[in-house]
Amino acid sequence: MNDDAALTKQFVDRKVTKRKLRKSRLVVEEGPEKGKRIDIASERMTIGESVICDLTLNDTAVSGTHCEIIAKENGFLLRDLGSANGTWVAGVRVREAWLEPGMPLRIGRTVLRFEHGPGTIEIDLSRREKFYDLIGHGVRMREIFAVLEKVAASDLTVLVRGETGTGKELVARAIHRASKRAQRPLIVQDCSAIPANLIESILFGHERGSFTGAADRKRGCFEVADGGTLFLDEIGELDISLQPKLLRVLETREVQRVGGTRMIPVDVRVVAATNRDLRQMVNEGTFREDLYYRLTVVQVDLPALRERAEDIPALAGQFLEESAKRGPREGASFSITDDAMTKLQAYPWPGNVRELKNTIERAVSLADGTELGMHDLMPASQKTPPMVFPGGTAEQFVDNDIPFKDAKQRIVDAFEAQYLKAVLDKHGDNISRSARAAGLTRYHLRELAKRYGLRGETSDPGDED
């Protein structure tokens, strides 16, 4: 292992039991916070003017969430988060850069120095390779399992972040099942699936006659989930006008129905999830900073499937078993050839675990034999022509019993991948020009491109600043 590595592993009987984070710190050498220092005590550290950051700087030239430092096995990576004034290392503006001890960083009017300290910080890994319906044999998921084991016993609010299809709802269900609230209701509410004019009523309830069509009194999600857990999926889609009301409920544990005057106490544990970058939304003014701070009491970041390819054999085996029980050849024993498994592990999986599951289910239903090769398993995105909608595809989803939410997401994923590829091709893979054409920030477009395996993680020196 490289002596400059940020993360190392501790083994017992060939099994990783802990990850060790090398102690490092940032020291402010110039600027309004001169003399301030902070230890890097987690794998991800954010820096900016906002209070949601790990290192908050009182510098008006610094963006709300300006940049972050990520601990990786080959060192500490500095990454700009689409800041207005840029992140500078040794006088050069960078999007990403590997940090070395003594290296000066400038953001806004603040100059910081990165340095190593003596010793390490230990990060616990769970001994489990499965946490309820979540499967993970690798280090990344077992680290998450260790967090979930501790968090589940509490009533702390949890924000689950991750790309579409990574299993955010499974995390919420696992937290609920492992908690003292397991015998009480788990209510799942997708904030992106509710019409804007109804979301307040659905979340908080309404009184009879409070608006046109309100013929009866109705309890909202918080009241229905009383004593249990409320999972708010796609929290980033919640209209900013309703965010103060959600914040008030989280702080007071009381709801007021639409058209009502009485405050109703509720005992609810909230788990929220998003595939959007809420930090960027805070910077853009589309998500309230105080609500973000309240939701991220505990934050769980789910890795994309391409970042934990070592888990694909176990996941595929689980999906094979489940699909065989429901398929036309109930009781048959399916397997995947070694060559096919190697290719599955190399594929970027833009739809993540959900796409892998759908791929396995389709192969089990359509394959001629029980040994599945790559011709059976090739993901639909590599094997079918570009998806056109409308044009008959909706019937295919219905015929295959695919739920509305999953069908909708598959179309969105296909559109995003095709749109991004086209815009990047048109502009010669230049992120800046592509982002302007698409009406996105460079950071957002770059992250989407990574999600769909369209660009590597290193920046293109030909991009404009």
Side-chain angles (χ1 to χ4, degrees):
M1 181 65 69
N2 187 336
D3 289 341
D4 291 329
L7 288 165
T8 59
K9 300 173 183 176
Q10 176 179 311
F11 293 84
V12 174
D13 297 330
R14 298 186 178 181
K15 188 177 181 71
V16 182
T17 58
K18 290 182 183 295
R19 299 181 89 189
K20 293 186 177 182
L21 175 65
R22 182 166 187 173
K23 283 188 177 178
S24 300
R25 68 177 67 92
L26 290 173
V27 179
V28 182
E29 294 192 321
E30 297 179 20
E33 307 288 330
K34 184 176 180 179
K36 188 173 184 176
R37 60 179 58 206
I38 184 170
D39 290 332
I40 300 175
S42 62
E43 289 185 51
R44 188 181 299 267
M45 173 185 181
T46 54
I47 306 167
E49 189 183 24
S50 170
V51 294
I52 68 177
C53 295
D54 301 298
L55 174 56
T56 302
L57 299 173
N58 185 24
D59 182 343
T60 56
V62 171
S63 296
T65 49
H66 194 104
C67 60
E68 64 183 356
I69 295 176
I70 305 167
K72 293 180 174 284
E73 291 186 3
N74 51 346
F76 288 88
L77 180 66
L78 173 70
R79 177 179 292 164
D80 185 81
L81 296 176
S83 64
N85 294 321
T87 300
W88 301 74
V89 176
V92 177
R93 185 171 180 171
V94 301
R95 293 186 183 85
E96 293 181 351
W98 292 102
L99 297 178
E100 298 290 342
M103 185 176 279
L105 324 174
R106 180 171 67 81
I107 59 174
R109 296 188 297 273
T110 299
V111 176
L112 306 103
R113 184 180 73 255
F114 171 78
E115 59 184 37
H116 286 326
T120 59
I121 298 169
E122 291 190 345
I123 301 172
D124 290 331
L125 303 181
S126 172
R127 294 185 176 274
R128 304 187 191 199
E129 294 183 341
K130 186 173 183 180
F131 190 74
Y132 294 92
D133 293 328
L134 295 164
I135 297 173
H137 293 190
V139 169
R140 293 287 298 277
M141 290 304 292
R142 288 175 50 227
E143 184 179 331
I144 290 172
F145 294 168
V147 172
L148 297 181
E149 288 167 0
K150 296 175 182 177
V151 168
S154 71
D155 279 334
L156 296 175
T157 303
V158 180
L159 177 68
V160 187
R161 297 198 321 169
E163 295 178 7
T164 297
T166 49
K168 297 184 289 294
E169 184 171 334
L170 293 183
V171 172
R173 292 185 180 279
I175 289 173
H176 178 72
R177 291 171 66 183
S179 74
K180 61 188 178 183
R181 298 174 178 266
Q183 302 305 313
R184 302 293 294 166
L186 167 66
I187 302 300
V188 177
Q189 184 57 63
D190 183 352
C191 296
S192 68
I194 312 173
N197 62 328
L198 294 179
I199 192 165
E200 185 175 4
S201 167
I202 289 174
L203 289 178
F204 309 126
H206 64 254
E207 297 291 346
R208 180 179 179 180
S210 55
F211 55 85
T212 303
D216 297 295
R217 172 186 293 173
K218 182 178 179 181
R219 296 188 303 160
C221 291
F222 276 90
E223 286 186 76
V224 175
D226 190 42
T229 304
L230 175 59
F231 175 51
L232 296 175
D233 198 7
E234 304 299 350
I235 191 68
E237 305 300 324
L238 187 65
D239 189 87
I240 195 165
S241 65
L242 284 176
Q243 292 176 21
K245 298 180 181 181
L246 175 59
L247 176 64
R248 186 186 68 234
V249 174
L250 294 176
E251 290 179 339
T252 65
R253 301 294 166 175
E254 294 180 326
V255 296
Q256 183 177 13
R257 295 175 185 153
V258 176
T261 58
R262 183 169 63 94
M263 301 303 295
I264 303 168
V266 288
D267 173 23
V268 176
R269 199 257 184 88
V270 173
V271 179
T274 183
N275 62 2
R276 302 184 65 179
D277 188 342
L278 296 187
R279 300 168 306 179
Q280 184 72 18
M281 293 179 67
V282 170
N283 282 349
E284 295 168 351
T286 56
F287 201 87
R288 288 180 61 103
E289 181 179 271
D290 46 6
L291 178 57
Y292 176 93
Y293 195 68
R294 188 67 185 79
L295 289 171
T296 54
V297 178
V298 176
Q299 183 167 299
V300 175
D301 291 313
L302 289 179
L305 185 56
R306 63 183 173 274
E307 296 172 359
R308 58 180 189 112
E310 69 276 10
D311 290 333
I312 288 178
L315 288 164
Q318 178 73 20
F319 298 149
L320 278 177
E321 184 179 333
E322 293 173 357
S323 299
K325 291 178 181 177
R326 298 193 301 268
R329 287 173 285 179
E330 185 175 349
S333 179
F334 286 85
S335 63
I336 297 174
T337 65
D338 291 343
D339 180 61
M341 184 61 73
T342 298
K343 291 179 180 177
L344 290 181
Q345 289 184 276
Y347 179 67
W349 297 108
N352 292 294
V353 179
R354 182 185 292 126
E355 184 183 0
L356 174 63
K357 183 177 182 180
N358 291 339
T359 297
I360 298 290
E361 289 178 346
R362 183 183 64 248
V364 168
S365 297
L366 301 180
D368 295 327
T370 57
E371 185 179 54
L372 307 180
M374 201 56 201
H375 62 285
D376 300 306
L377 289 161
M378 186 179 292
S381 55
Q382 288 190 348
K383 152 180 210 183
T384 59
M387 183 178 292
V388 178
F389 192 85
T393 54
E395 288 80 1
Q396 296 174 20
F397 290 130
V398 174
D399 289 344
N400 289 298
D401 295 325
I402 297 173
F404 171 80
K405 182 178 177 182
D406 289 349
K408 172 186 171 185
Q409 193 59 56
R410 286 172 66 176
I411 290 175
V412 171
D413 289 344
F415 167 78
E416 286 187 352
Q418 292 168 30
Y419 181 93
L420 291 169
K421 183 178 185 306
V423 78
L424 285 166
D425 286 347
K426 180 178 179 180
H427 296 283
D429 272 352
N430 185 288
I431 286 287
S432 298
R433 290 196 295 268
S434 299
R436 282 198 294 272
L440 301 171
T441 66
R442 287 178 303 171
Y443 175 76
H444 191 191
L445 187 139
R446 190 165 59 247
E447 291 302 304
L448 286 172
K450 288 177 186 176
R451 175 188 303 177
Y452 294 108
L454 299 177
R455 287 175 56 93
E457 291 201 5
T458 56
S459 59
D460 183 348
D463 281 354
E464 300 171 357
D465 288 325

